[in-house]
Amino acid sequence: MNTIEARVEELLARMTLPEKIGQMWQIHGAAPENKEFIRRGQVGSCLNVIGRDAEAFQRVARAESRLGIPLIFGRDVIHGFKTILPIPLGQAASFNPEVARDGARMAAHEAAAASIHWTFAPMVDIAHDPRWGRVAEGCGEDPYLAGCMGAAMVEGFQGSPVTTTHNGPKAQRAKAQKNLAKPGSIAACAKHYVGYGAAEGGRDYNTTLIPERTLRNTYLPPFKACVDAGACTLMSAFNDLNDVPATGNAFALRQVLKKEWKFDGFVVSDWGSVTEMIAHGYCADEKEAAFKSARAGVDMEMVSPSYSTHLEKLVADGTVPLDWIDDAVRRILRIKFRLGLFDRPVVPEIPPSVILSHEHLRVAYRAALESCVLLKNDGCLPVAAGHKTIAVIGPLANAPADQLGCWVMDGDQEAVCTPLLALRLVLGSDCLLDSPGLRNARDTGRVQFDAAEAAARVSDVILLFLGEDAGLSGEAHCRAFLELPGAQTELVDRVTKAAAGKPVIAVVMAGRPLVVQPWINQVSALLWAWHPGSMGGAAITDLLLGSEAPSGRLPISFPRTVGQVPTYYNKKNTGRPPIEGQWGAPLGTPLDPKDFTSKYMDADFTPEFTFGFGLGYTTFAYSAVTLSRTSLKPKGTLTAKVTITNTGTRPGAAVPQLYIRDLTATATRPLKELKGFQKFTLAPGESRTVTFDVGSEELAFWNGDMKFAAEPGRFHLWIAADSTCASHPPAEFALL
Ligand code: GLC
């Protein structure tokens, strides 16, 4: 038995039942009366207690409780601590796991300097519905991309030496956790386990009905990637999962996570989700909630006190076996030992000087640069030098708090570089005409419209900064409509008309995809910046002025209208697939069976922008894919190859994406699935041949017999610039 396991067992053997149950409770806040709970050994963790308060609580735990077991301090360091990164959806748009890993590493250092040991991130809930406010916190609609980005964040937070390759996470868990006890590493928490993003109607906390095969093929894989990357903890979700709340769901927690995946960390419930099972109608009272959560495999209860209040009696009367308690406490102690909490000093080993350091701001700048996605450009970008006057219009041009986005607990608004600030620093103020047009993102007043129109009239280029305020996305912030809020659409109309044909460049900061019709037809270019974080303004300015080029790709599809939701690229074909361009139903149309396909009469069935799409300042040519073989033995691999050439006049990032379709199987399969991607820069005229290896790992799925297997048969394969895979017909191969 290794040292840590021996130390766990030795300590566990000395613990009383109340002390064991104490480890299973996470309390909230730094109220002084919490010290008494800690002194009595009734608390294993605190959330939202940082800095000096955390040090004080830790001293009580170490010096005044009977066994001196250290507390583990948790906090939502979702996309940065004080130096704020783009929202995770934006980081996913970078299609670059290094961006996610470096960002998480930076965030971990800043959090560790504030005595935080554990972050409740990454969130890897697959989401097909942009109405859901929490789509901002996740990594988009695709299981493979979410898995790669989530695993990279885990590695960044936990200081893993293992790198996530673009062919998917290959980390060995023990190796991945070897730096956990080093200063600057904090425990990760993959959340919200599981299926939370499938909330009906895009309404947070709502019901989720997910067939097991879909759960295993779509919603579980990103969590498995995080567990394989060594995630120390997972968080059970709020949602009712197939009639059993996720926090009381033994199938998900004990069967899949702990038994099948052999996860040896611990599970914390989401805030109050244990006792919310009463409201779900799954538990009669807190006592039953404690029983059903413990039975399901929740090891630590966040905030609600049902474990602390009822578990001792439930063990005494035989309802809860002592084994459940010992297993939970073993897991918690194991992570505390792996983090080095028993051995490290109470005061942080990372100096506060790292916070908002130039190096950290540089990390945030690069993340913002790589997360922006160019969705339209009529050639006006990059903005040519030498323009006399540039109008800077819109409510997001100088909105520090909104630019940071949701889930910012400790972000420093003073340290935010907004687009207006950056433009002034780069171009000077003389050539800028700053006219917000609206007081904030939701303002419906038109009083400033005249000034905005006047600015547009006298300027050579108009920059329009639009989007959502931070409060319009995140937890419990769901929207039934996806248009620009407030009077922004009218602002676009008035300004573009006043511009009278001069370039109008829209930059949108938002926590989700939005409906961009009809105003997108009025603007010359559209750059999607998500909520880009502390250095968003600097990154956007460098992209608009051309010292950098956009390289982001969409991690989530954009619907043409909210009526299309859910929109996602990896959908099924159906028995009557719609035909591109086929829609509409002229009056008096005879009922012609040929039109009876899965389409709308009043909207194009395809999305406005598809998963994986993004433009740059150059163009690329993709050769046809070649395969090293067209028939594959069960344990063999083939190599798919394509040559990509920069056919433009500027350097640019290519993001070749590998998609595969299983044409016939024992369960219906998606039209295509992302199975790999790469990202690299090519100079004008430069070519690069890229390869992807394909084997049973890329082809396996949970099949008609509910077995994870690659089935013999024909497959299509693309290596393309986005999920439309329009450049060439697919290559075909057979698995024997
Ligand atoms: C919230 C969120 C969860 C967060 C936790 C602690 O309700 O659902 O993501 O980590 O509570 O703040």
Side-chain angles (χ1 to χ4, degrees):
M1 186 183 295
N2 73 31
T3 313
I4 283 182
E5 292 309 309
R7 292 179 75 180
V8 168
E9 293 308 320
E10 185 279 330
L11 179 52
L12 189 69
R14 288 191 285 130
M15 295 172 76
T16 65
L17 179 57
E19 287 167 335
K20 292 178 181 177
I21 293 167
Q23 288 301 306
M24 298 168 72
W25 190 24
Q26 177 182 66
I27 60 173
H28 169 255
E33 57 267 27
N34 286 341
K35 286 184 181 176
E36 192 46 35
F37 289 122
I38 295 166
R39 195 170 285 117
R40 290 202 293 260
Q42 290 178 304
V43 176
S45 172
C46 298
L47 86 152
N48 297 335
V49 179
I50 63 174
R52 294 272 182 275
D53 290 335
E55 291 171 37
F57 277 18
Q58 194 68 297
R59 286 195 182 91
V60 171
R62 298 303 307 272
E64 299 177 34
S65 72
R66 187 178 77 88
L67 292 171
I69 299 173
L71 297 164
I72 179 170
F73 292 97
R75 182 96 162 161
D76 291 287
V77 184
I78 308 298
H79 53 111
F81 179 66
K82 283 214 176 287
T83 303
I84 302 301
L85 299 154
I87 53 172
L89 189 60
Q91 293 180 52
S94 73
F95 268 70
N96 185 350
E98 279 79 11
V99 162
R101 185 181 305 108
D102 294 351
R105 193 77 199 129
M106 178 274 287
H109 271 77
E110 294 197 351
S115 295
I116 296 164
H117 305 134
W118 177 25
T119 178
F120 305 124
M123 191 265 227
V124 287
D125 300 312
I126 293 301
H128 296 152
D129 192 331
R131 294 173 294 179
W132 188 45
R134 305 199 77 165
V135 71
E137 301 169 50
C139 297
E141 70 188 34
D142 180 71
Y144 180 83
L145 178 66
C148 285
M149 302 309 280
M153 290 173 186
V154 167
E155 291 166 356
F157 287 129
Q158 300 188 168
S160 309
V162 180
T163 55
T164 302
T165 69
H166 288 310
N167 270 328
K170 305 271 191 247
Q172 303 299 318
R173 294 173 200 172
K175 206 161 92 179
Q177 289 187 352
K178 68 180 262 195
N179 292 336
L180 260 183
K182 291 208 171 132
S185 297
I186 61 176
C189 180
K191 69 184 186 183
H192 306 78
Y193 190 78
V194 63
Y196 183 36
E200 215 168 78
R203 273 194 299 120
D204 208 355
Y205 318 117
N206 206 0
T207 306
T208 62
L209 286 169
I210 309 173
E212 182 183 341
R213 183 172 300 105
T214 305
L215 199 65
R216 289 181 177 277
N217 284 327
T218 299
Y219 293 91
L220 284 168
F223 286 95
K224 179 69 166 49
C226 290
V227 167
D228 287 346
C232 289
T233 69
L234 270 74
M235 182 184 292
S236 68
F238 290 120
N239 52 294
D240 175 343
L241 173 61
N242 300 332
D243 307 328
V244 177
T247 293
N249 199 299
F251 168 75
L253 291 165
R254 284 208 188 277
Q255 170 59 30
V256 176
L257 175 63
K258 294 183 175 181
K259 184 163 182 259
E260 292 179 22
W261 296 357
K262 299 183 176 52
F263 174 65
D264 71 354
F266 72 86
V267 174
V268 64
S269 60
D270 198 343
W271 191 295
S273 59
V274 168
T275 48
E276 284 176 16
M277 291 200 283
I278 300 166
H280 274 291
Y282 186 63
C283 298
D285 51 32
E286 286 203 3
K287 184 177 176 184
E288 189 176 24
F291 165 65
K292 289 190 172 179
S293 299
R295 180 180 66 180
V298 172
D299 303 303
M300 182 183 282
E301 181 176 11
M302 181 186 286
V303 176
S304 49
S306 65
Y307 277 11
S308 178
T309 310
H310 299 287
L311 274 185
E312 191 171 349
K313 289 192 285 295
L314 286 167
V315 170
D317 70 16
T319 309
V320 168
L322 183 58
D323 287 355
W324 292 0
I325 305 296
D326 286 347
D327 179 59
V329 177
R330 212 172 257 125
R331 291 168 179 272
I332 294 165
L333 294 179
R334 178 178 297 136
I335 296 304
K336 289 187 174 183
F337 276 114
R338 286 181 183 167
L339 277 168
L341 297 187
F342 287 83
D343 308 314
R344 64 170 70 168
V346 169
V347 294
E349 297 149 291
I350 297 286
S353 57
V354 304
I355 291 177
L356 288 167
S357 67
H358 181 78
E359 181 198 347
H360 284 187
L361 291 171
R362 183 88 200 146
V363 170
Y365 166 81
R366 181 201 173 193
L369 206 59
E370 293 209 36
S371 65
C372 290
V373 184
L374 184 60
L375 297 176
K376 176 181 180 182
N377 182 18
D378 69 359
C380 67
L381 281 178
V383 173
H387 275 296
K388 290 188 291 299
T389 311
I390 296 177
V392 181
I393 299 172
L396 275 298
N398 197 33
D402 292 330
Q403 179 174 316
L404 295 181
C406 61
W407 278 111
V408 173
M409 312 277 280
D410 308 281
D412 185 339
Q413 289 185 33
E414 299 307 311
V416 175
C417 177
T418 64
L420 181 61
L421 173 60
L423 286 162
R424 282 185 178 145
L425 290 172
V426 174
L427 299 174
S429 299
D430 297 347
C431 69
L432 299 178
L433 271 182
D434 165 26
S435 179
L438 290 162
R439 289 166 303 168
N440 56 56
R442 292 188 233 179
D443 186 10
T444 55
R446 273 80 171 162
V447 291
Q448 300 180 62
F449 277 22
D450 292 349
E453 287 176 299
R457 276 193 210 96
V458 301
S459 299
D460 303 306
V461 177
I462 293 89
L463 304 180
L464 257 177
F465 293 91
L466 309 162
E468 294 180 316
D469 55 278
L472 268 181
S473 74
E475 183 172 356
H477 293 169
C478 303
R479 298 181 62 192
F481 299 94
L482 296 175
E483 278 70 25
L484 285 169
Q488 294 183 56
T489 301
E490 187 179 338
L491 176 65
V492 174
D493 184 54
R494 298 271 292 269
V495 164
T496 50
K497 283 175 177 149
K502 289 175 288 187
V504 178
I505 296 149
V507 178
V508 172
M509 296 187 189
R512 55 166 53 86
L514 296 177
V515 169
V516 297
Q517 290 294 349
W519 57 266
I520 189 171
N521 305 318
Q522 296 174 282
V523 301
S524 319
L526 173 58
L527 182 72
W528 211 265
W530 314 102
H531 283 124
S534 302
M535 294 300 285
I540 290 165
T541 297
D542 289 349
L543 293 170
L544 295 178
L545 300 182
S547 58
E548 296 291 346
S551 65
R553 298 292 186 271
L554 292 181
I556 189 167
S557 305
F558 277 49
R560 294 175 187 277
T561 164
V562 72
Q564 267 188 319
V565 172
T567 45
Y568 51 99
Y569 85 94
N570 44 359
K571 54 179 123 21
K572 303 293 188 68
N573 196 32
T574 78
R576 295 195 177 187
I579 298 161
E580 190 88 23
Q582 177 195 50
W583 63 283
L587 285 174
T589 305
L591 290 181
D592 179 343
K594 78 170 173 43
D595 295 339
F596 285 29
T597 60
S598 178
K599 68 180 185 306
Y600 299 109
M601 290 195 294
D602 49 1
D604 188 325
F605 68 90
T606 60
E608 185 74 48
F609 297 110
T610 188
F611 175 85
F613 174 74
L615 301 171
Y617 291 152
T618 190
T619 51
F620 295 101
Y622 279 62
S623 73
V625 176
T626 57
L627 303 179
S628 59
R629 62 180 70 248
T630 54
S631 61
L632 190 57
K633 292 195 179 72
K635 300 231 181 298
T637 58
L638 65 80
T639 299
K641 189 183 291 188
V642 81
T643 298
I644 302 169
T645 303
N646 180 339
T647 50
T649 58
R650 299 171 71 95
V655 184
Q657 299 152 39
L658 169 70
Y659 293 95
I660 286 177
R661 180 184 181 182
D662 187 343
L663 291 166
T664 309
T666 53
T668 56
R669 307 287 295 121
L671 278 169
K672 56 182 70 110
E673 295 177 287
L674 181 73
K675 293 294 181 184
F677 58 87
Q678 296 179 29
K679 181 175 189 179
F680 48 84
T681 298
L682 291 178
E686 184 184 2
S687 293
R688 181 179 299 191
T689 297
V690 294
T691 61
F692 290 95
D693 293 336
V694 175
S696 56
E697 186 177 336
E698 283 71 32
L699 307 180
F701 72 108
W702 288 85
N703 68 9
D705 300 323
M706 205 57 81
K707 296 277 184 287
F708 188 65
E711 296 184 345
R714 294 166 49 237
F715 291 81
H716 281 173
L717 182 149
W718 300 263
I719 299 175
D722 64 50
S723 60
T724 55
C725 299
S727 53
H728 290 281
E732 180 166 321
F733 66 92
L735 178 65
L736 303 177

